[in-house]
Coordinates of all heavy atoms in Angstrom, one line a residue:
M72 N -44.6 58.2 -63.4 CA -43.5 58.1 -62.5 C -42.3 57.5 -63.2 O -41.3 58.2 -63.4 CB -43.9 57.2 -61.3 CG -44.6 58.0 -60.3 SD -43.5 58.6 -59.0 CE -43.6 57.2 -57.8
A73 N -42.4 56.3 -63.6 CA -41.2 55.7 -64.2 C -41.0 56.3 -65.6 O -41.6 55.9 -66.6 CB -41.4 54.2 -64.4
T74 N -40.1 57.1 -65.6 CA -39.7 57.7 -66.9 C -38.7 56.8 -67.6 O -37.6 56.6 -67.0 CB -39.1 59.1 -66.7 OG1 -38.9 59.4 -65.4 CG2 -39.9 60.2 -67.4
R75 N -39.1 56.3 -68.7 CA -38.2 55.4 -69.4 C -37.3 56.2 -70.4 O -37.9 56.8 -71.3 CB -39.0 54.3 -70.1 CG -39.5 53.3 -69.1 CD -40.2 52.2 -69.8 NE -39.3 51.5 -70.6 CZ -39.7 50.6 -71.5 NH1 -41.0 50.4 -71.8 NH2 -38.8 49.9 -72.2
V76 N -36.1 56.1 -70.1 CA -35.2 56.7 -71.1 C -35.2 55.7 -72.3 O -35.1 54.5 -72.1 CB -33.8 56.8 -70.5 CG1 -32.8 57.4 -71.5 CG2 -33.8 57.6 -69.2
A77 N -35.3 56.3 -73.4 CA -35.3 55.5 -74.6 C -34.0 54.6 -74.5 O -32.9 55.0 -74.6 CB -35.2 56.3 -75.8
S78 N -34.3 53.3 -74.4 CA -33.2 52.4 -74.2 C -32.7 51.9 -75.6 O -33.3 51.2 -76.3 CB -33.6 51.2 -73.4 OG -34.6 50.5 -74.0
K79 N -31.6 52.4 -75.8 CA -30.9 52.0 -77.1 C -30.1 50.8 -76.8 O -29.5 50.6 -75.8 CB -30.0 53.1 -77.6 CG -30.6 54.2 -78.4 CD -29.6 55.1 -78.9 CE -30.2 56.5 -79.2 NZ -29.1 57.5 -79.4
K80 N -30.1 50.0 -77.8 CA -29.3 48.8 -77.6 C -27.9 49.1 -78.1 O -27.5 48.9 -79.2 CB -29.8 47.6 -78.5 CG -31.0 46.9 -77.8 CD -31.4 45.7 -78.6 CE -32.7 45.1 -78.0 NZ -33.2 44.0 -78.8
S81 N -27.2 49.7 -77.2 CA -25.8 50.0 -77.6 C -24.9 48.9 -77.1 O -24.9 48.4 -76.0 CB -25.4 51.3 -76.9 OG -25.6 51.2 -75.5
P82 N -24.1 48.5 -78.0 CA -23.1 47.4 -77.7 C -22.2 47.8 -76.6 O -21.7 49.0 -76.6 CB -22.4 47.1 -79.0 CG -22.6 48.4 -79.9 CD -23.9 49.0 -79.4
A83 N -21.9 47.0 -75.7 CA -21.0 47.3 -74.7 C -19.6 47.6 -75.2 O -19.1 46.8 -76.0 CB -20.9 46.1 -73.7
K84 N -19.1 48.6 -74.7 CA -17.8 49.0 -75.2 C -16.8 48.2 -74.3 O -16.8 48.2 -73.1 CB -17.5 50.5 -75.0 CG -18.2 51.2 -76.1 CD -17.9 52.7 -76.0 CE -18.7 53.5 -77.1 NZ -18.5 54.9 -76.9
K85 N -15.9 47.6 -75.0 CA -14.9 46.8 -74.3 C -13.5 47.4 -74.3 O -12.5 46.7 -74.1 CB -14.9 45.4 -74.9 CG -16.1 44.5 -74.5 CD -16.0 43.2 -75.1 CE -17.3 42.4 -74.7 NZ -17.3 41.1 -75.4
G86 N -13.5 48.6 -74.6 CA -12.2 49.3 -74.6 C -11.3 48.9 -75.8 O -10.2 49.4 -75.8
A87 N -11.8 48.1 -76.7 CA -11.0 47.8 -77.8 C -11.0 49.0 -78.8 O -12.0 49.7 -78.9 CB -11.6 46.5 -78.5
A88 N -9.9 49.1 -79.4 CA -9.8 50.2 -80.4 C -10.9 50.0 -81.5 O -11.1 48.9 -82.0 CB -8.5 50.2 -81.0
A89 N -11.6 51.0 -81.9 CA -12.6 50.9 -82.9 C -11.9 50.5 -84.2 O -10.9 51.1 -84.7 CB -13.3 52.2 -83.1
K90 N -12.5 49.4 -84.8 CA -11.9 49.0 -86.0 C -12.7 49.6 -87.2 O -13.9 49.6 -87.2 CB -12.0 47.5 -86.1 CG -11.1 46.8 -85.1 CD -10.7 45.5 -85.6 CE -9.6 44.9 -84.7 NZ -9.4 43.5 -84.7
P91 N -11.9 50.1 -88.1 CA -12.6 50.8 -89.3 C -13.2 49.8 -90.3 O -12.7 48.7 -90.4 CB -11.4 51.5 -89.9 CG -10.2 50.7 -89.6 CD -10.5 50.0 -88.3
A92 N -14.3 50.2 -90.8 CA -14.9 49.6 -92.0 C -15.0 48.1 -91.9 O -14.2 47.4 -91.4 CB -14.1 49.9 -93.2
P93 N -16.1 47.6 -92.4 CA -16.3 46.1 -92.4 C -15.2 45.5 -93.3 O -14.8 46.1 -94.2 CB -17.7 45.9 -93.0 CG -18.0 47.2 -93.6 CD -17.3 48.3 -92.9
K94 N -14.9 44.2 -92.9 CA -13.9 43.5 -93.6 C -14.3 43.2 -95.1 O -15.4 42.8 -95.3 CB -13.7 42.2 -92.9 CG -12.2 41.9 -92.7 CD -12.1 40.6 -91.9 CE -10.7 40.1 -92.0 NZ -10.6 38.8 -91.4
K95 N -13.4 43.5 -95.9 CA -13.6 43.1 -97.3 C -13.2 41.7 -97.5 O -12.4 41.1 -96.7 CB -12.7 44.0 -98.2 CG -13.4 45.2 -98.7 CD -12.8 45.5 -100.1 CE -12.4 47.0 -100.2 NZ -11.5 47.2 -101.2
W96 N -13.7 41.1 -98.5 CA -13.3 39.7 -98.8 C -12.0 39.7 -99.5 O -11.9 39.9 -100.7 CB -14.4 39.0 -99.7 CG -15.6 38.8 -98.9 CD1 -16.8 39.4 -99.1 CD2 -15.8 37.9 -97.8 NE1 -17.8 38.9 -98.2 CE2 -17.2 38.0 -97.4 CE3 -15.0 37.0 -97.1 CZ2 -17.7 37.3 -96.4 CZ3 -15.6 36.3 -96.1 CH2 -16.9 36.4 -95.7
T97 N -11.0 39.5 -98.7 CA -9.7 39.4 -99.3 C -9.1 38.0 -98.8 O -9.5 37.4 -97.9 CB -8.8 40.5 -98.8 OG1 -8.9 40.6 -97.3 CG2 -9.2 41.8 -99.3
S98 N -8.0 37.7 -99.5 CA -7.3 36.5 -99.2 C -6.9 36.5 -97.7 O -6.5 37.5 -97.2 CB -6.1 36.3 -100.1 OG -6.5 36.3 -101.4
R99 N -7.1 35.3 -97.1 CA -6.7 35.3 -95.7 C -6.2 33.9 -95.3 O -6.5 32.9 -96.0 CB -7.8 35.7 -94.8 CG -9.1 34.9 -94.9 CD -10.2 35.7 -94.3 NE -11.4 34.8 -94.1 CZ -12.2 34.5 -95.1 NH1 -12.0 35.0 -96.3 NH2 -13.2 33.7 -94.9
A100 N -5.5 33.8 -94.3 CA -4.9 32.5 -93.8 C -5.4 32.2 -92.4 O -5.6 33.0 -91.6 CB -3.4 32.7 -93.9
V101 N -5.6 30.9 -92.2 CA -5.9 30.4 -90.9 C -5.0 29.2 -90.6 O -4.6 28.5 -91.4 CB -7.4 30.0 -90.7 CG1 -8.3 31.2 -90.8 CG2 -7.8 28.9 -91.7
T102 N -4.7 29.1 -89.3 CA -4.0 27.9 -88.9 C -4.9 26.8 -88.4 O -5.8 27.1 -87.6 CB -3.0 28.3 -87.7 OG1 -2.3 29.5 -88.1 CG2 -2.1 27.2 -87.4
R103 N -4.8 25.6 -88.9 CA -5.6 24.5 -88.5 C -4.8 23.3 -88.3 O -3.8 23.1 -88.9 CB -6.7 24.2 -89.6 CG -7.7 25.3 -89.7 CD -8.8 25.2 -88.6 NE -9.8 26.3 -88.8 CZ -9.7 27.5 -88.2 NH1 -8.6 27.8 -87.6 NH2 -10.6 28.4 -88.4
L104 N -5.3 22.4 -87.5 CA -4.7 21.1 -87.2 C -4.9 20.3 -88.5 O -5.9 20.4 -89.2 CB -5.5 20.4 -86.1 CG -4.8 19.5 -85.2 CD1 -3.6 20.1 -84.5 CD2 -5.8 19.0 -84.2
I105 N -3.8 19.6 -88.9 CA -3.9 18.7 -90.0 C -4.8 17.5 -89.6 O -4.6 16.9 -88.6 CB -2.5 18.2 -90.5 CG1 -1.7 19.4 -90.9 CG2 -2.7 17.2 -91.6 CD1 -0.3 19.0 -91.2
E106 N -5.8 17.3 -90.5 CA -6.7 16.2 -90.1 C -6.4 14.9 -90.8 O -5.8 14.9 -91.9 CB -8.2 16.6 -90.5 CG -8.7 17.7 -89.6 CD -10.0 18.3 -90.1 OE1 -10.6 17.8 -91.0 OE2 -10.4 19.3 -89.4
A107 N -6.8 13.8 -90.2 CA -6.6 12.5 -90.8 C -7.3 12.5 -92.2 O -8.3 13.0 -92.4 CB -7.2 11.4 -90.0
G108 N -6.6 11.9 -93.2 CA -7.1 11.9 -94.5 C -6.8 13.1 -95.4 O -7.3 13.2 -96.5
S109 N -6.1 14.0 -94.8 CA -5.7 15.1 -95.6 C -4.9 14.7 -96.9 O -4.0 13.9 -96.8 CB -4.8 16.1 -94.8 OG -4.3 17.1 -95.6
M110 N -5.4 15.2 -98.0 CA -4.7 14.8 -99.3 C -4.2 16.0 -100.0 O -4.1 16.0 -101.2 CB -5.8 14.1 -100.1 CG -6.3 12.9 -99.5 SD -5.1 11.6 -99.6 CE -5.4 10.9 -101.2
T111 N -3.9 17.1 -99.3 CA -3.5 18.3 -100.0 C -2.0 18.4 -100.1 O -1.3 17.7 -99.3 CB -4.0 19.5 -99.4 OG1 -3.7 19.4 -98.0 CG2 -5.5 19.6 -99.5
E112 N -1.5 19.2 -101.0 CA -0.1 19.4 -101.1 C 0.2 20.8 -100.7 O -0.5 21.8 -100.9 CB 0.4 19.2 -102.6 CG 0.6 17.8 -102.9 CD 1.0 17.6 -104.3 OE1 1.3 18.5 -105.0 OE2 0.9 16.4 -104.8
C113 N 1.4 20.9 -100.1 CA 1.9 22.2 -99.6 C 2.3 23.0 -100.8 O 3.0 22.5 -101.7 CB 3.1 22.0 -98.7 SG 3.9 23.5 -98.2
Q114 N 1.8 24.3 -100.9 CA 2.1 25.1 -102.0 C 3.6 25.6 -102.0 O 4.1 26.0 -103.0 CB 1.2 26.4 -102.0 CG -0.2 26.1 -102.2 CD -0.5 25.6 -103.6 OE1 -0.1 26.2 -104.5 NE2 -1.3 24.6 -103.7
H115 N 4.2 25.4 -100.9 CA 5.6 25.9 -100.8 C 6.6 24.8 -101.1 O 7.4 25.0 -102.0 CB 5.8 26.5 -99.4 CG 7.1 27.1 -99.3 ND1 7.5 28.3 -99.9 CD2 8.2 26.8 -98.5 CE1 8.7 28.6 -99.6 NE2 9.2 27.8 -98.7
C116 N 6.5 23.7 -100.5 CA 7.5 22.6 -100.7 C 7.0 21.5 -101.6 O 7.7 20.6 -101.9 CB 8.0 22.0 -99.3 SG 6.7 21.1 -98.5
E117 N 5.7 21.6 -101.9 CA 5.0 20.6 -102.8 C 5.0 19.2 -102.2 O 4.8 18.2 -103.0 CB 5.7 20.6 -104.2 CG 5.5 22.0 -104.8 CD 6.1 22.1 -106.2 OE1 6.8 21.2 -106.6 OE2 5.8 23.1 -106.9
E118 N 5.1 19.1 -101.0 CA 5.0 17.8 -100.3 C 3.6 17.7 -99.7 O 3.0 18.7 -99.4 CB 6.0 17.5 -99.3 CG 7.4 17.3 -99.9 CD 8.4 16.7 -99.0 OE1 8.0 16.2 -97.9 OE2 9.6 16.8 -99.3
R119 N 3.1 16.5 -99.6 CA 1.8 16.3 -99.0 C 1.7 16.8 -97.6 O 2.7 16.7 -96.8 CB 1.6 14.7 -99.0 CG 0.2 14.3 -98.5 CD -0.9 14.6 -99.5 NE -0.7 14.1 -100.9 CZ -0.9 12.9 -101.3 NH1 -1.3 11.9 -100.4 NH2 -0.8 12.5 -102.5
V120 N 0.6 17.5 -97.3 CA 0.4 18.0 -96.0 C -0.3 16.8 -95.3 O -1.5 16.5 -95.4 CB -0.6 19.2 -96.0 CG1 -0.9 19.6 -94.6 CG2 0.0 20.3 -96.8
K121 N 0.5 16.0 -94.6 CA 0.1 14.7 -94.1 C -0.2 14.7 -92.7 O 0.5 15.3 -91.8 CB 1.3 13.7 -94.4 CG 0.9 12.5 -95.2 CD 1.9 11.5 -95.1 CE 3.2 11.8 -95.8 NZ 4.2 10.7 -95.8
F122 N -1.3 14.0 -92.4 CA -1.7 13.8 -91.0 C -0.7 12.7 -90.4 O -0.5 11.7 -91.1 CB -3.1 13.3 -90.9 CG -3.5 12.8 -89.6 CD1 -3.9 13.7 -88.6 CD2 -3.6 11.5 -89.3 CE1 -4.2 13.3 -87.3 CE2 -4.0 11.0 -88.1 CZ -4.3 11.9 -87.1
R123 N -0.2 13.0 -89.3 CA 0.6 11.9 -88.6 C 0.0 11.8 -87.2 O -0.1 12.7 -86.4 CB 2.0 12.4 -88.5 CG 2.7 12.5 -89.8 CD 4.2 12.8 -89.7 NE 4.4 14.2 -89.1 CZ 5.6 14.7 -88.7 NH1 6.6 13.9 -88.9 NH2 5.7 15.9 -88.2
A124 N -0.4 10.5 -86.9 CA -0.9 10.2 -85.6 C 0.1 10.7 -84.6 O 1.3 10.5 -84.7 CB -1.2 8.7 -85.5
R125 N -0.4 11.2 -83.5 CA 0.3 11.7 -82.4 C 1.2 12.9 -82.6 O 1.7 13.5 -81.7 CB 1.3 10.6 -81.9 CG 0.5 9.4 -81.3 CD 1.5 8.3 -80.9 NE 0.7 7.1 -80.9 CZ 1.0 6.1 -80.0 NH1 1.9 6.3 -79.1 NH2 0.3 5.0 -80.0
H126 N 1.3 13.3 -83.8 CA 2.0 14.6 -84.1 C 0.8 15.6 -84.3 O 0.0 15.3 -85.2 CB 2.8 14.6 -85.4 CG 4.0 13.8 -85.3 ND1 5.2 14.3 -85.2 CD2 4.1 12.5 -85.2 CE1 6.1 13.3 -85.2 NE2 5.5 12.2 -85.2
R127 N 0.7 16.5 -83.5 CA -0.4 17.5 -83.8 C 0.1 18.6 -84.7 O 0.3 19.7 -84.3 CB -1.0 18.0 -82.5 CG -1.7 16.9 -81.7 CD -2.1 17.3 -80.4 NE -3.2 18.3 -80.4 CZ -4.5 18.1 -80.6 NH1 -4.9 16.8 -80.7 NH2 -5.3 19.0 -80.6
D128 N 0.4 18.2 -85.9 CA 0.9 19.1 -86.9 C -0.1 20.1 -87.3 O -1.3 19.8 -87.5 CB 1.4 18.4 -88.1 CG 2.6 17.5 -87.8 OD1 3.4 17.8 -87.0 OD2 2.7 16.4 -88.4
M129 N 0.4 21.3 -87.6 CA -0.5 22.4 -88.0 C -0.2 22.7 -89.5 O 0.8 22.5 -90.0 CB -0.2 23.7 -87.2 CG -0.4 23.5 -85.7 SD -2.1 23.0 -85.2 CE -2.9 24.6 -85.4
Q130 N -1.3 23.1 -90.1 CA -1.2 23.6 -91.5 C -1.8 25.0 -91.5 O -2.5 25.4 -90.6 CB -2.0 22.7 -92.4 CG -3.5 22.7 -92.1 CD -4.3 21.8 -93.0 OE1 -4.0 21.7 -94.2 NE2 -5.3 21.2 -92.5
V131 N -1.5 25.6 -92.6 CA -2.1 27.0 -92.8 C -2.9 26.8 -94.0 O -2.5 26.4 -95.1 CB -1.0 28.1 -93.0 CG1 -1.6 29.4 -93.4 CG2 -0.2 28.2 -91.7
I132 N -4.2 27.2 -93.9 CA -5.1 27.1 -95.0 C -5.4 28.5 -95.5 O -5.8 29.4 -94.6 CB -6.4 26.4 -94.6 CG1 -6.1 25.0 -94.1 CG2 -7.4 26.4 -95.8 CD1 -7.3 24.3 -93.5
C133 N -5.2 28.8 -96.7 CA -5.4 30.1 -97.2 C -6.6 30.1 -98.2 O -6.6 29.3 -99.1 CB -4.2 30.6 -98.0 SG -2.7 30.6 -97.0
N134 N -7.6 31.0 -97.9 CA -8.6 31.2 -98.9 C -8.2 32.3 -99.8 O -8.0 33.4 -99.3 CB -9.9 31.5 -98.1 CG -10.6 30.2 -97.7 OD1 -11.2 29.5 -98.5 ND2 -10.5 30.0 -96.4
I135 N -8.1 32.0 -101.0 CA -7.6 33.1 -102.0 C -8.8 33.7 -102.7 O -9.6 33.0 -103.3 CB -6.7 32.4 -103.0 CG1 -5.7 31.5 -102.4 CG2 -6.0 33.5 -103.8 CD1 -4.8 32.1 -101.4
Y136 N -8.9 35.0 -102.5 CA -9.9 35.8 -103.2 C -9.3 36.6 -104.3 O -8.3 37.2 -104.1 CB -10.6 36.7 -102.2 CG -11.5 36.0 -101.3 CD1 -11.1 35.3 -100.2 CD2 -12.9 36.1 -101.5 CE1 -11.9 34.6 -99.4 CE2 -13.8 35.4 -100.6 CZ -13.3 34.6 -99.6 OH -14.1 34.0 -98.8
V137 N -10.0 36.6 -105.4 CA -9.5 37.4 -106.5 C -10.6 38.4 -106.8 O -11.7 38.0 -107.1 CB -9.2 36.5 -107.8 CG1 -8.8 37.4 -109.0 CG2 -8.1 35.5 -107.5
K138 N -10.3 39.6 -106.7 CA -11.2 40.7 -106.9 C -12.5 40.6 -106.0 O -13.6 40.7 -106.5 CB -11.6 40.9 -108.4 CG -10.5 41.3 -109.2 CD -10.9 41.4 -110.7 CE -9.7 41.7 -111.5 NZ -9.9 41.4 -113.0
G139 N -12.3 40.2 -104.8 CA -13.4 40.1 -103.9 C -14.2 38.8 -104.0 O -15.2 38.6 -103.4
V140 N -13.8 37.9 -104.9 CA -14.5 36.7 -105.1 C -13.6 35.5 -104.7 O -12.5 35.4 -105.2 CB -15.0 36.5 -106.6 CG1 -15.8 35.2 -106.8 CG2 -15.9 37.7 -106.9
W141 N -14.2 34.6 -104.0 CA -13.4 33.4 -103.6 C -12.9 32.7 -104.8 O -13.7 32.4 -105.7 CB -14.2 32.5 -102.7 CG -13.5 31.3 -102.2 CD1 -12.7 31.2 -101.2 CD2 -13.4 30.0 -102.9 NE1 -12.1 30.0 -101.1 CE2 -12.6 29.2 -102.1 CE3 -14.0 29.5 -104.0 CZ2 -12.3 27.9 -102.4 CZ3 -13.7 28.2 -104.3 CH2 -12.9 27.4 -103.5
D142 N -11.7 32.3 -104.8 CA -11.1 31.7 -106.0 C -10.7 30.2 -105.7 O -11.1 29.3 -106.4 CB -9.9 32.5 -106.5 CG -9.5 32.1 -107.9 OD1 -10.3 32.2 -108.8 OD2 -8.4 31.5 -108.1
H143 N -9.8 30.1 -104.7 CA -9.4 28.7 -104.4 C -8.7 28.7 -103.0 O -8.6 29.7 -102.4 CB -8.5 28.1 -105.5 CG -7.2 28.9 -105.5 ND1 -7.0 30.1 -106.1 CD2 -5.9 28.6 -105.1 CE1 -5.8 30.5 -106.1 NE2 -5.1 29.6 -105.4
V144 N -8.4 27.5 -102.6 CA -7.8 27.3 -101.3 C -6.4 26.8 -101.5 O -6.1 26.0 -102.4 CB -8.6 26.3 -100.4 CG1 -7.8 26.0 -99.2 CG2 -9.9 26.8 -100.1
E145 N -5.5 27.3 -100.7 CA -4.1 26.8 -100.8 C -3.7 26.3 -99.4 O -4.1 26.9 -98.4 CB -3.1 27.9 -101.2 CG -3.3 28.2 -102.7 CD -2.3 29.2 -103.2 OE1 -1.4 29.6 -102.5 OE2 -2.4 29.5 -104.4
H146 N -3.0 25.2 -99.3 CA -2.5 24.7 -98.1 C -1.0 24.8 -98.0 O -0.3 24.6 -98.9 CB -2.9 23.2 -98.0 CG -4.4 23.0 -97.9 ND1 -5.1 22.6 -96.8 CD2 -5.3 23.1 -98.9 CE1 -6.3 22.5 -97.1 NE2 -6.5 22.8 -98.4
F147 N -0.6 25.0 -96.8 CA 0.9 25.1 -96.5 C 1.1 24.3 -95.2 O 0.3 24.3 -94.3 CB 1.3 26.5 -96.2 CG 1.2 27.4 -97.4 CD1 0.0 28.0 -97.8 CD2 2.4 27.7 -98.2 CE1 0.0 28.8 -98.9 CE2 2.3 28.6 -99.3 CZ 1.1 29.1 -99.6
H148 N 2.3 23.7 -95.0 CA 2.7 23.4 -93.7 C 2.9 24.7 -93.0 O 3.3 25.7 -93.6 CB 4.1 22.6 -93.8 CG 4.0 21.3 -94.5 ND1 4.6 21.2 -95.8 CD2 3.4 20.2 -94.2 CE1 4.4 19.9 -96.2 NE2 3.7 19.3 -95.3
E149 N 2.7 24.6 -91.7 CA 2.8 25.9 -90.9 C 4.2 26.5 -91.1 O 4.3 27.7 -91.4 CB 2.5 25.6 -89.5 CG 2.4 26.9 -88.7 CD 2.1 26.7 -87.2 OE1 2.6 25.7 -86.7 OE2 1.4 27.6 -86.6
E150 N 5.2 25.6 -91.0 CA 6.6 26.2 -91.1 C 6.9 26.7 -92.5 O 7.6 27.6 -92.7 CB 7.6 25.2 -90.6 CG 7.7 23.9 -91.3 CD 6.7 22.8 -90.8 OE1 5.7 23.2 -90.2 OE2 7.0 21.7 -91.0
C151 N 6.3 26.0 -93.5 CA 6.5 26.5 -94.9 C 5.8 27.8 -95.1 O 6.4 28.7 -95.9 CB 5.9 25.5 -95.9 SG 6.9 24.0 -95.9
Y152 N 4.7 28.0 -94.5 CA 4.0 29.3 -94.7 C 4.9 30.4 -94.1 O 5.0 31.5 -94.7 CB 2.7 29.3 -93.9 CG 1.8 30.5 -94.3 CD1 1.2 30.6 -95.5 CD2 1.6 31.5 -93.3 CE1 0.5 31.7 -95.8 CE2 0.9 32.6 -93.6 CZ 0.3 32.7 -94.9 OH -0.4 33.8 -95.2
L153 N 5.5 30.2 -93.0 CA 6.3 31.2 -92.4 C 7.6 31.4 -93.3 O 8.0 32.5 -93.5 CB 6.7 30.8 -91.0 CG 5.6 30.6 -90.0 CD1 6.1 30.2 -88.6 CD2 4.8 31.9 -89.8
D154 N 8.1 30.2 -93.8 CA 9.2 30.3 -94.6 C 8.9 31.1 -95.9 O 9.8 31.7 -96.5 CB 9.6 28.8 -95.0 CG 11.0 28.7 -95.4 OD1 11.9 29.3 -94.8 OD2 11.2 28.0 -96.4
A155 N 7.7 31.0 -96.4 CA 7.3 31.7 -97.6 C 7.0 33.1 -97.3 O 6.5 33.9 -98.1 CB 6.1 31.0 -98.2
K156 N 7.2 33.5 -96.0 CA 7.0 34.9 -95.6 C 5.5 35.3 -95.6 O 5.2 36.4 -96.0 CB 7.9 35.9 -96.4 CG 9.4 35.5 -96.3 CD 10.2 36.8 -96.5 CE 11.6 36.6 -96.0 NZ 12.3 35.5 -96.7
E157 N 4.7 34.4 -95.2 CA 3.3 34.7 -95.0 C 2.7 35.5 -96.2 O 2.2 36.6 -96.0 CB 3.1 35.5 -93.7 CG 3.7 34.8 -92.5 CD 3.4 35.5 -91.2 OE1 3.1 36.7 -91.2 OE2 3.4 34.8 -90.1
P158 N 2.6 34.8 -97.3 CA 2.1 35.5 -98.5 C 0.7 36.0 -98.4 O 0.3 36.9 -99.2 CB 2.2 34.4 -99.6 CG 2.4 33.1 -98.9 CD 3.0 33.4 -97.6
F159 N -0.1 35.4 -97.5 CA -1.5 35.9 -97.4 C -1.7 36.5 -96.1 O -2.9 36.5 -95.6 CB -2.5 34.8 -97.7 CG -2.2 34.2 -99.1 CD1 -1.7 32.9 -99.2 CD2 -2.5 34.9 -100.3 CE1 -1.4 32.4 -100.5 CE2 -2.2 34.4 -101.5 CZ -1.6 33.1 -101.6
G160 N -0.7 37.0 -95.5 CA -0.8 37.7 -94.2 C -0.7 36.7 -93.0 O -0.7 35.5 -93.2
P161 N -0.6 37.3 -91.8 CA -0.4 36.4 -90.7 C -1.6 35.5 -90.5 O -2.8 36.0 -90.5 CB -0.2 37.4 -89.5 CG -0.5 38.7 -90.0 CD -0.6 38.7 -91.5
P162 N -1.4 34.2 -90.3 CA -2.6 33.3 -90.1 C -3.3 33.6 -88.8 O -2.7 33.9 -87.8 CB -2.0 31.9 -90.1 CG -0.5 32.1 -89.9 CD -0.1 33.5 -90.2
E163 N -4.7 33.5 -88.9 CA -5.5 33.6 -87.7 C -5.6 32.3 -87.1 O -5.5 31.3 -87.8 CB -6.9 34.2 -88.1 CG -6.8 35.6 -88.5 CD -8.1 36.1 -89.2 OE1 -9.1 35.4 -88.9 OE2 -8.1 37.0 -89.9
E164 N -5.9 32.3 -85.8 CA -6.1 31.0 -85.1 C -7.4 30.4 -85.6 O -8.4 31.0 -85.7 CB -6.2 31.2 -83.6 CG -4.8 31.7 -83.1 CD -3.8 30.5 -83.0 OE1 -4.2 29.4 -82.5 OE2 -2.7 30.7 -83.4
Ligands
ZN60 ZN1 5.6 22.4 -97.0

């Protein structure tokens, strides 16, 4: 009686445009809150990316990949990153 249709585990379509190809490891940028004890320097203005109590300052952290291999991290003040014209693409949240 119960005819079971081969149940495929098909991911629910959410109407999002199909994205091509899996992501390659390329340099990318994310926006993060500057944390207490941050000791990095901004690659753009060369000033310390400093945590300030009560200022919820944002920084942009870029993971730099060279030929698909992680190389190093660069930090920017958020406004400096924009000022530098987003060298590693628009930062993700
Ligand atoms: Zn800066």
Side-chain angles (χ1 to χ4, degrees):
M72 276 262 271
T74 4
R75 287 183 64 191
V76 181
S78 61
K79 277 187 202 165
K80 281 186 184 172
S81 56
K84 283 184 184 172
K85 285 182 184 172
K90 290 207 172 160
K94 227 178 167 186
K95 266 212 231 159
W96 291 111
T97 50
S98 303
R99 60 194 192 280
V101 293
T102 310
R103 290 283 178 272
L104 211 57
I105 298 174
E106 290 173 4
S109 170
M110 297 289 274
T111 50
E112 278 177 13
C113 173
Q114 293 293 313
H115 187 65
C116 69
E117 298 185 348
E118 289 195 16
R119 187 68 57 81
V120 177
K121 237 194 291 186
F122 170 80
R123 294 184 296 173
R125 294 175 202 216
H126 289 250
R127 294 174 63 84
D128 294 323
M129 301 300 284
Q130 62 178 325
V131 175
I132 302 175
C133 304
N134 278 285
I135 315 301
Y136 284 76
V137 178
K138 293 177 187 167
V140 179
W141 181 85
D142 195 65
H143 66 284
V144 173
E145 291 184 3
H146 295 252
F147 294 81
H148 297 110
E149 188 180 34
E150 61 271 25
C151 288
Y152 189 74
L153 300 177
D154 201 43
K156 303 208 163 58
E157 305 184 339
F159 305 108
E163 291 167 23
E164 294 283 316

